[in-house]
Amino acid sequence: MTDNNTNNTGNGGGGNAGLAFIVGGIVVVLAIVAYFVFARGGMAPESKDINVDVNLPEVSAPAVPTVN
């Protein structure tokens, strides 16, 4: 007579190690992104004083010659 014991005690946690590694990697990446967003002042560009002059001199078309 054989005893078919299907209660696996202590052997069910092996598949979660890969998942824990992936989740840990995601947490590290999010921590790095949060550092650059919050600790460095966010993604706001630096304010710069830009002065652009768009006043161009008036240009007239050349006179068209007349044909007789």
Short mmCIF file of all heavy atoms in Angstrom, two decimals:
data_model
loop_
_atom_site.label_atom_id
_atom_site.label_comp_id
_atom_site.label_asym_id
_atom_site.label_seq_id
_atom_site.Cartn_x
_atom_site.Cartn_y
_atom_site.Cartn_z
N MET A 1 0.83 -1.16 0.00
CA MET A 1 0.00 0.00 0.00
C MET A 1 0.89 1.24 0.00
O MET A 1 1.80 1.37 0.81
CB MET A 1 -0.88 -0.04 1.24
CG MET A 1 -1.72 1.16 1.37
SD MET A 1 -2.57 1.05 2.93
CE MET A 1 -4.17 1.32 2.50
N THR A 2 0.61 2.20 -0.91
CA THR A 2 1.40 3.44 -0.99
C THR A 2 0.57 4.59 -0.49
O THR A 2 -0.64 4.64 -0.65
CB THR A 2 1.83 3.72 -2.44
OG1 THR A 2 0.66 3.80 -3.24
CG2 THR A 2 2.72 2.63 -2.97
N ASP A 3 1.24 5.53 0.12
CA ASP A 3 0.57 6.70 0.67
C ASP A 3 0.83 7.89 -0.27
O ASP A 3 1.96 8.35 -0.40
CB ASP A 3 1.11 7.00 2.07
CG ASP A 3 0.32 8.12 2.74
OD1 ASP A 3 -0.76 8.45 2.24
OD2 ASP A 3 0.81 8.63 3.76
N ASN A 4 -0.20 8.36 -0.97
CA ASN A 4 -0.06 9.49 -1.87
C ASN A 4 -0.38 10.77 -1.11
O ASN A 4 -1.50 11.25 -1.10
CB ASN A 4 -1.02 9.34 -3.07
CG ASN A 4 -0.61 8.19 -3.96
OD1 ASN A 4 0.57 7.88 -4.04
ND2 ASN A 4 -1.58 7.58 -4.62
N ASN A 5 0.63 11.31 -0.51
CA ASN A 5 0.47 12.54 0.25
C ASN A 5 0.68 13.73 -0.68
O ASN A 5 1.77 13.94 -1.20
CB ASN A 5 1.47 12.57 1.41
CG ASN A 5 1.21 13.74 2.34
OD1 ASN A 5 0.30 14.53 2.13
ND2 ASN A 5 2.03 13.83 3.38
N THR A 6 -0.36 14.54 -0.90
CA THR A 6 -0.26 15.67 -1.82
C THR A 6 -0.11 16.99 -1.09
O THR A 6 -0.19 18.04 -1.72
CB THR A 6 -1.51 15.72 -2.72
OG1 THR A 6 -2.67 15.84 -1.89
CG2 THR A 6 -1.60 14.48 -3.59
N ASN A 7 0.09 16.97 0.20
CA ASN A 7 0.31 18.21 0.95
C ASN A 7 1.77 18.60 0.84
O ASN A 7 2.63 18.03 1.47
CB ASN A 7 -0.08 18.03 2.43
CG ASN A 7 -1.57 17.82 2.60
OD1 ASN A 7 -2.35 18.30 1.77
ND2 ASN A 7 -1.95 17.14 3.65
N ASN A 8 2.05 19.58 0.00
CA ASN A 8 3.43 20.06 -0.17
C ASN A 8 3.67 21.17 0.83
O ASN A 8 3.25 22.30 0.65
CB ASN A 8 3.65 20.58 -1.59
CG ASN A 8 3.59 19.47 -2.62
OD1 ASN A 8 3.92 18.35 -2.32
ND2 ASN A 8 3.17 19.80 -3.83
N THR A 9 4.34 20.86 1.88
CA THR A 9 4.62 21.88 2.90
C THR A 9 6.04 22.40 2.70
O THR A 9 7.00 21.65 2.63
CB THR A 9 4.48 21.29 4.30
OG1 THR A 9 5.37 20.17 4.41
CG2 THR A 9 3.06 20.85 4.58
N GLY A 10 6.16 23.74 2.58
CA GLY A 10 7.48 24.35 2.49
C GLY A 10 8.05 24.39 1.08
O GLY A 10 9.17 24.82 0.91
N ASN A 11 7.34 23.96 0.06
CA ASN A 11 7.91 23.94 -1.28
C ASN A 11 7.17 24.87 -2.24
O ASN A 11 7.41 24.82 -3.43
CB ASN A 11 7.87 22.52 -1.85
CG ASN A 11 8.78 21.58 -1.10
OD1 ASN A 11 9.78 22.00 -0.56
ND2 ASN A 11 8.44 20.30 -1.08
N GLY A 12 6.29 25.74 -1.77
CA GLY A 12 5.48 26.54 -2.68
C GLY A 12 5.99 27.95 -2.92
O GLY A 12 5.40 28.68 -3.69
N GLY A 13 7.10 28.37 -2.36
CA GLY A 13 7.53 29.75 -2.48
C GLY A 13 8.58 30.00 -3.54
O GLY A 13 9.03 31.12 -3.70
N GLY A 14 8.98 29.02 -4.29
CA GLY A 14 10.05 29.20 -5.26
C GLY A 14 9.68 30.08 -6.44
O GLY A 14 10.53 30.78 -6.98
N GLY A 15 8.43 30.06 -6.86
CA GLY A 15 8.03 30.84 -8.02
C GLY A 15 7.88 32.32 -7.74
O GLY A 15 7.84 33.13 -8.67
N ASN A 16 7.81 32.71 -6.50
CA ASN A 16 7.61 34.12 -6.16
C ASN A 16 8.92 34.90 -6.09
O ASN A 16 8.90 36.12 -6.00
CB ASN A 16 6.88 34.24 -4.82
CG ASN A 16 5.45 33.77 -4.94
OD1 ASN A 16 4.86 33.83 -6.01
ND2 ASN A 16 4.89 33.29 -3.84
N ALA A 17 10.05 34.23 -6.15
CA ALA A 17 11.33 34.93 -6.09
C ALA A 17 11.53 35.79 -7.32
O ALA A 17 12.01 36.93 -7.23
CB ALA A 17 12.47 33.93 -5.93
N GLY A 18 11.17 35.30 -8.48
CA GLY A 18 11.30 36.08 -9.71
C GLY A 18 10.38 37.29 -9.70
O GLY A 18 10.76 38.38 -10.12
N LEU A 19 9.17 37.11 -9.22
CA LEU A 19 8.22 38.21 -9.13
C LEU A 19 8.71 39.27 -8.15
O LEU A 19 8.61 40.46 -8.42
CB LEU A 19 6.84 37.68 -8.71
CG LEU A 19 5.73 38.71 -8.60
CD1 LEU A 19 5.47 39.35 -9.95
CD2 LEU A 19 4.48 38.08 -8.06
N ALA A 20 9.25 38.85 -7.04
CA ALA A 20 9.78 39.79 -6.05
C ALA A 20 10.96 40.58 -6.63
O ALA A 20 11.10 41.78 -6.37
CB ALA A 20 10.21 39.06 -4.79
N PHE A 21 11.79 39.95 -7.44
CA PHE A 21 12.92 40.62 -8.08
C PHE A 21 12.42 41.68 -9.07
O PHE A 21 12.95 42.80 -9.11
CB PHE A 21 13.79 39.58 -8.80
CG PHE A 21 15.02 40.16 -9.42
CD1 PHE A 21 16.09 40.54 -8.64
CD2 PHE A 21 15.11 40.33 -10.79
CE1 PHE A 21 17.23 41.08 -9.21
CE2 PHE A 21 16.24 40.86 -11.37
CZ PHE A 21 17.31 41.24 -10.58
N ILE A 22 11.40 41.37 -9.83
CA ILE A 22 10.84 42.32 -10.80
C ILE A 22 10.20 43.51 -10.07
O ILE A 22 10.42 44.67 -10.44
CB ILE A 22 9.82 41.62 -11.72
CG1 ILE A 22 10.56 40.63 -12.63
CG2 ILE A 22 9.05 42.62 -12.54
CD1 ILE A 22 9.65 39.74 -13.44
N VAL A 23 9.42 43.22 -9.04
CA VAL A 23 8.77 44.30 -8.28
C VAL A 23 9.83 45.17 -7.61
O VAL A 23 9.71 46.40 -7.58
CB VAL A 23 7.77 43.72 -7.26
CG1 VAL A 23 7.25 44.80 -6.32
CG2 VAL A 23 6.61 43.06 -7.98
N GLY A 24 10.87 44.59 -7.09
CA GLY A 24 11.96 45.35 -6.48
C GLY A 24 12.64 46.26 -7.48
O GLY A 24 12.98 47.40 -7.18
N GLY A 25 12.85 45.77 -8.70
CA GLY A 25 13.44 46.59 -9.75
C GLY A 25 12.56 47.77 -10.11
O GLY A 25 13.04 48.88 -10.34
N ILE A 26 11.25 47.54 -10.17
CA ILE A 26 10.31 48.62 -10.48
C ILE A 26 10.34 49.67 -9.37
O ILE A 26 10.30 50.88 -9.65
CB ILE A 26 8.89 48.06 -10.69
CG1 ILE A 26 8.86 47.23 -11.97
CG2 ILE A 26 7.86 49.16 -10.74
CD1 ILE A 26 7.57 46.47 -12.19
N VAL A 27 10.42 49.24 -8.13
CA VAL A 27 10.46 50.19 -7.00
C VAL A 27 11.74 51.04 -7.08
O VAL A 27 11.69 52.25 -6.85
CB VAL A 27 10.38 49.43 -5.66
CG1 VAL A 27 10.71 50.34 -4.49
CG2 VAL A 27 9.01 48.81 -5.50
N VAL A 28 12.85 50.45 -7.45
CA VAL A 28 14.11 51.19 -7.56
C VAL A 28 14.02 52.22 -8.68
O VAL A 28 14.42 53.38 -8.52
CB VAL A 28 15.30 50.23 -7.78
CG1 VAL A 28 16.56 50.99 -8.16
CG2 VAL A 28 15.54 49.40 -6.54
N VAL A 29 13.47 51.83 -9.82
CA VAL A 29 13.33 52.76 -10.94
C VAL A 29 12.41 53.92 -10.57
O VAL A 29 12.70 55.09 -10.86
CB VAL A 29 12.82 52.03 -12.20
CG1 VAL A 29 12.40 53.00 -13.28
CG2 VAL A 29 13.88 51.07 -12.72
N LEU A 30 11.30 53.63 -9.90
CA LEU A 30 10.38 54.70 -9.48
C LEU A 30 11.03 55.63 -8.46
O LEU A 30 10.77 56.83 -8.47
CB LEU A 30 9.10 54.10 -8.90
CG LEU A 30 8.16 53.45 -9.93
CD1 LEU A 30 6.97 52.83 -9.23
CD2 LEU A 30 7.71 54.47 -10.95
N ALA A 31 11.88 55.10 -7.59
CA ALA A 31 12.58 55.94 -6.63
C ALA A 31 13.54 56.89 -7.34
O ALA A 31 13.65 58.06 -6.97
CB ALA A 31 13.33 55.08 -5.62
N ILE A 32 14.22 56.42 -8.37
CA ILE A 32 15.14 57.27 -9.12
C ILE A 32 14.37 58.36 -9.86
O ILE A 32 14.76 59.53 -9.86
CB ILE A 32 15.99 56.42 -10.10
CG1 ILE A 32 16.94 55.52 -9.30
CG2 ILE A 32 16.75 57.30 -11.07
CD1 ILE A 32 17.66 54.49 -10.13
N VAL A 33 13.25 58.00 -10.47
CA VAL A 33 12.42 58.99 -11.17
C VAL A 33 11.89 60.03 -10.18
O VAL A 33 11.90 61.23 -10.46
CB VAL A 33 11.27 58.30 -11.93
CG1 VAL A 33 10.26 59.31 -12.44
CG2 VAL A 33 11.82 57.47 -13.08
N ALA A 34 11.43 59.58 -9.02
CA ALA A 34 10.92 60.51 -8.01
C ALA A 34 12.00 61.47 -7.54
O ALA A 34 11.74 62.65 -7.30
CB ALA A 34 10.35 59.73 -6.83
N TYR A 35 13.23 61.01 -7.44
CA TYR A 35 14.33 61.89 -7.05
C TYR A 35 14.51 63.02 -8.06
O TYR A 35 14.63 64.18 -7.70
CB TYR A 35 15.63 61.10 -6.91
CG TYR A 35 16.84 62.00 -6.76
CD1 TYR A 35 17.09 62.65 -5.56
CD2 TYR A 35 17.70 62.23 -7.83
CE1 TYR A 35 18.18 63.49 -5.42
CE2 TYR A 35 18.78 63.07 -7.70
CZ TYR A 35 19.03 63.69 -6.50
OH TYR A 35 20.10 64.53 -6.37
N PHE A 36 14.53 62.68 -9.34
CA PHE A 36 14.74 63.71 -10.36
C PHE A 36 13.55 64.64 -10.48
O PHE A 36 13.71 65.81 -10.82
CB PHE A 36 15.06 63.07 -11.71
CG PHE A 36 16.48 62.58 -11.81
CD1 PHE A 36 16.77 61.24 -11.77
CD2 PHE A 36 17.51 63.48 -11.93
CE1 PHE A 36 18.07 60.79 -11.86
CE2 PHE A 36 18.82 63.05 -12.01
CZ PHE A 36 19.10 61.70 -11.98
N VAL A 37 12.35 64.16 -10.20
CA VAL A 37 11.17 65.01 -10.33
C VAL A 37 11.03 65.94 -9.13
O VAL A 37 10.79 67.14 -9.28
CB VAL A 37 9.90 64.15 -10.51
CG1 VAL A 37 8.64 64.99 -10.39
CG2 VAL A 37 9.92 63.45 -11.86
N PHE A 38 11.18 65.41 -7.92
CA PHE A 38 10.90 66.20 -6.73
C PHE A 38 12.13 66.89 -6.14
O PHE A 38 12.06 68.04 -5.74
CB PHE A 38 10.25 65.32 -5.66
CG PHE A 38 8.90 64.80 -6.07
CD1 PHE A 38 8.69 63.45 -6.26
CD2 PHE A 38 7.85 65.67 -6.28
CE1 PHE A 38 7.45 62.97 -6.65
CE2 PHE A 38 6.61 65.21 -6.67
CZ PHE A 38 6.41 63.86 -6.85
N ALA A 39 13.25 66.23 -6.07
CA ALA A 39 14.42 66.79 -5.41
C ALA A 39 15.11 67.84 -6.26
O ALA A 39 15.75 68.74 -5.75
CB ALA A 39 15.42 65.69 -5.06
N ARG A 40 14.98 67.77 -7.55
CA ARG A 40 15.66 68.71 -8.44
C ARG A 40 14.72 69.79 -8.96
O ARG A 40 15.01 70.42 -9.95
CB ARG A 40 16.30 67.95 -9.58
CG ARG A 40 17.34 66.94 -9.08
CD ARG A 40 17.96 66.21 -10.21
NE ARG A 40 18.58 67.16 -11.11
CZ ARG A 40 19.85 67.15 -11.46
NH1 ARG A 40 20.64 66.24 -10.97
NH2 ARG A 40 20.33 68.03 -12.29
N GLY A 41 13.57 69.98 -8.35
CA GLY A 41 12.68 71.06 -8.73
C GLY A 41 11.72 70.71 -9.83
O GLY A 41 11.14 71.59 -10.43
N GLY A 42 11.54 69.48 -10.13
CA GLY A 42 10.60 69.08 -11.16
C GLY A 42 11.15 69.26 -12.56
O GLY A 42 12.34 69.41 -12.76
N MET A 43 10.26 69.22 -13.52
CA MET A 43 10.67 69.32 -14.91
C MET A 43 10.49 70.73 -15.46
O MET A 43 10.44 70.92 -16.66
CB MET A 43 9.84 68.34 -15.76
CG MET A 43 10.07 66.90 -15.41
SD MET A 43 11.71 66.43 -15.90
CE MET A 43 11.70 64.73 -15.45
N ALA A 44 10.35 71.73 -14.60
CA ALA A 44 10.14 73.10 -15.06
C ALA A 44 11.43 73.63 -15.68
O ALA A 44 12.50 73.49 -15.11
CB ALA A 44 9.71 73.99 -13.90
N PRO A 45 11.32 74.24 -16.86
CA PRO A 45 12.53 74.79 -17.48
C PRO A 45 12.99 76.05 -16.75
O PRO A 45 12.23 76.71 -16.06
CB PRO A 45 12.07 75.12 -18.90
CG PRO A 45 10.61 75.31 -18.79
CD PRO A 45 10.15 74.39 -17.68
N GLU A 46 14.25 76.36 -16.91
CA GLU A 46 14.79 77.58 -16.30
C GLU A 46 14.21 78.79 -17.01
O GLU A 46 14.01 78.78 -18.21
CB GLU A 46 16.32 77.60 -16.45
CG GLU A 46 17.03 76.49 -15.73
CD GLU A 46 18.53 76.55 -15.94
OE1 GLU A 46 19.02 77.55 -16.50
OE2 GLU A 46 19.19 75.60 -15.56
N SER A 47 13.92 79.81 -16.24
CA SER A 47 13.39 81.03 -16.85
C SER A 47 14.55 81.85 -17.39
O SER A 47 15.51 82.14 -16.69
CB SER A 47 12.58 81.83 -15.85
OG SER A 47 13.41 82.26 -14.80
N LYS A 48 14.45 82.23 -18.66
CA LYS A 48 15.49 83.02 -19.31
C LYS A 48 14.85 84.24 -19.94
O LYS A 48 13.72 84.19 -20.41
CB LYS A 48 16.19 82.19 -20.39
CG LYS A 48 16.94 81.01 -19.85
CD LYS A 48 17.64 80.25 -20.95
CE LYS A 48 18.39 79.05 -20.38
NZ LYS A 48 19.05 78.28 -21.42
N ASP A 49 15.57 85.36 -19.92
CA ASP A 49 15.07 86.58 -20.53
C ASP A 49 15.50 86.59 -21.99
O ASP A 49 16.68 86.73 -22.31
CB ASP A 49 15.64 87.79 -19.79
CG ASP A 49 15.05 89.09 -20.31
OD1 ASP A 49 13.97 89.05 -20.92
OD2 ASP A 49 15.69 90.14 -20.11
N ILE A 50 14.52 86.40 -22.87
CA ILE A 50 14.79 86.36 -24.30
C ILE A 50 14.14 87.58 -24.93
O ILE A 50 12.94 87.77 -24.83
CB ILE A 50 14.26 85.06 -24.92
CG1 ILE A 50 14.94 83.86 -24.28
CG2 ILE A 50 14.47 85.06 -26.42
CD1 ILE A 50 14.38 82.53 -24.72
N ASN A 51 14.94 88.41 -25.58
CA ASN A 51 14.44 89.60 -26.23
C ASN A 51 14.62 89.44 -27.73
O ASN A 51 15.74 89.39 -28.23
CB ASN A 51 15.21 90.83 -25.73
CG ASN A 51 14.59 92.12 -26.24
OD1 ASN A 51 13.53 92.10 -26.86
ND2 ASN A 51 15.26 93.23 -25.97
N VAL A 52 13.51 89.37 -28.46
CA VAL A 52 13.55 89.18 -29.91
C VAL A 52 12.99 90.41 -30.57
O VAL A 52 11.87 90.84 -30.27
CB VAL A 52 12.73 87.92 -30.31
CG1 VAL A 52 12.75 87.75 -31.81
CG2 VAL A 52 13.28 86.70 -29.61
N ASP A 53 13.73 90.99 -31.50
CA ASP A 53 13.28 92.17 -32.23
C ASP A 53 12.83 91.72 -33.62
O ASP A 53 13.62 91.22 -34.41
CB ASP A 53 14.43 93.17 -32.35
CG ASP A 53 13.99 94.47 -32.98
OD1 ASP A 53 12.77 94.70 -33.09
OD2 ASP A 53 14.88 95.27 -33.36
N VAL A 54 11.55 91.90 -33.90
CA VAL A 54 11.00 91.48 -35.18
C VAL A 54 10.63 92.67 -36.07
O VAL A 54 9.91 92.52 -37.04
CB VAL A 54 9.77 90.57 -34.99
CG1 VAL A 54 10.18 89.25 -34.39
CG2 VAL A 54 8.72 91.24 -34.16
N ASN A 55 11.12 93.85 -35.75
CA ASN A 55 10.87 95.03 -36.58
C ASN A 55 11.84 95.02 -37.75
O ASN A 55 13.03 95.28 -37.60
CB ASN A 55 11.04 96.31 -35.76
CG ASN A 55 10.01 96.40 -34.68
OD1 ASN A 55 8.86 96.03 -34.89
ND2 ASN A 55 10.41 96.89 -33.51
N LEU A 56 11.33 94.71 -38.94
CA LEU A 56 12.17 94.63 -40.12
C LEU A 56 12.04 95.91 -40.92
O LEU A 56 11.01 96.58 -40.91
CB LEU A 56 11.72 93.43 -40.99
CG LEU A 56 11.81 92.07 -40.32
CD1 LEU A 56 11.24 91.00 -41.23
CD2 LEU A 56 13.25 91.75 -39.99
N PRO A 57 13.07 96.26 -41.67
CA PRO A 57 12.97 97.46 -42.50
C PRO A 57 11.97 97.22 -43.64
O PRO A 57 11.78 96.10 -44.10
CB PRO A 57 14.38 97.65 -43.03
CG PRO A 57 15.02 96.32 -42.93
CD PRO A 57 14.38 95.64 -41.75
N GLU A 58 11.34 98.31 -44.06
CA GLU A 58 10.34 98.18 -45.12
C GLU A 58 11.05 97.95 -46.45
O GLU A 58 12.00 98.63 -46.80
CB GLU A 58 9.50 99.46 -45.20
CG GLU A 58 8.37 99.34 -46.20
CD GLU A 58 7.49 100.57 -46.19
OE1 GLU A 58 7.45 101.27 -45.17
OE2 GLU A 58 6.87 100.83 -47.21
N VAL A 59 10.56 96.95 -47.19
CA VAL A 59 11.15 96.60 -48.48
C VAL A 59 10.08 96.82 -49.54
O VAL A 59 8.97 96.33 -49.43
CB VAL A 59 11.63 95.14 -48.49
CG1 VAL A 59 12.19 94.77 -49.85
CG2 VAL A 59 12.64 94.91 -47.40
N SER A 60 10.44 97.58 -50.58
CA SER A 60 9.47 97.79 -51.67
C SER A 60 9.91 96.99 -52.89
O SER A 60 11.09 96.75 -53.11
CB SER A 60 9.38 99.28 -52.00
OG SER A 60 10.64 99.76 -52.43
N ALA A 61 8.92 96.63 -53.69
CA ALA A 61 9.19 95.86 -54.90
C ALA A 61 9.81 96.78 -55.95
O ALA A 61 9.49 97.97 -56.01
CB ALA A 61 7.91 95.24 -55.42
N PRO A 62 10.67 96.25 -56.80
CA PRO A 62 11.24 97.08 -57.86
C PRO A 62 10.17 97.49 -58.88
O PRO A 62 9.16 96.81 -59.03
CB PRO A 62 12.32 96.20 -58.49
CG PRO A 62 11.92 94.81 -58.12
CD PRO A 62 11.17 94.90 -56.83
N ALA A 63 10.43 98.56 -59.55
CA ALA A 63 9.48 99.04 -60.56
C ALA A 63 9.43 98.08 -61.74
O ALA A 63 10.46 97.56 -62.18
CB ALA A 63 9.90 100.42 -61.03
N VAL A 64 8.23 97.83 -62.22
CA VAL A 64 8.05 96.92 -63.36
C VAL A 64 8.22 97.72 -64.65
O VAL A 64 7.59 98.76 -64.82
CB VAL A 64 6.64 96.27 -63.30
CG1 VAL A 64 6.43 95.35 -64.48
CG2 VAL A 64 6.47 95.53 -61.99
N PRO A 65 9.07 97.27 -65.56
CA PRO A 65 9.24 98.01 -66.82
C PRO A 65 7.98 97.92 -67.68
O PRO A 65 7.30 96.90 -67.70
CB PRO A 65 10.42 97.32 -67.50
CG PRO A 65 10.51 96.00 -66.86
CD PRO A 65 9.91 96.11 -65.48
N THR A 66 7.68 98.97 -68.38
CA THR A 66 6.49 98.98 -69.25
C THR A 66 6.91 98.63 -70.67
O THR A 66 7.96 99.02 -71.16
CB THR A 66 5.83 100.36 -69.25
OG1 THR A 66 6.78 101.33 -69.68
CG2 THR A 66 5.31 100.72 -67.87
N VAL A 67 6.07 97.89 -71.34
CA VAL A 67 6.34 97.47 -72.72
C VAL A 67 5.45 98.30 -73.63
O VAL A 67 4.23 98.36 -73.46
CB VAL A 67 6.06 95.95 -72.90
CG1 VAL A 67 6.29 95.55 -74.35
CG2 VAL A 67 6.89 95.17 -71.93
N ASN A 68 6.01 98.97 -74.64
CA ASN A 68 5.25 99.81 -75.56
C ASN A 68 4.85 99.05 -76.77
O ASN A 68 5.29 98.43 -77.51
CB ASN A 68 6.02 101.05 -75.96
CG ASN A 68 6.10 101.98 -74.77
OD1 ASN A 68 5.30 101.93 -73.86
ND2 ASN A 68 7.11 102.83 -74.80
#
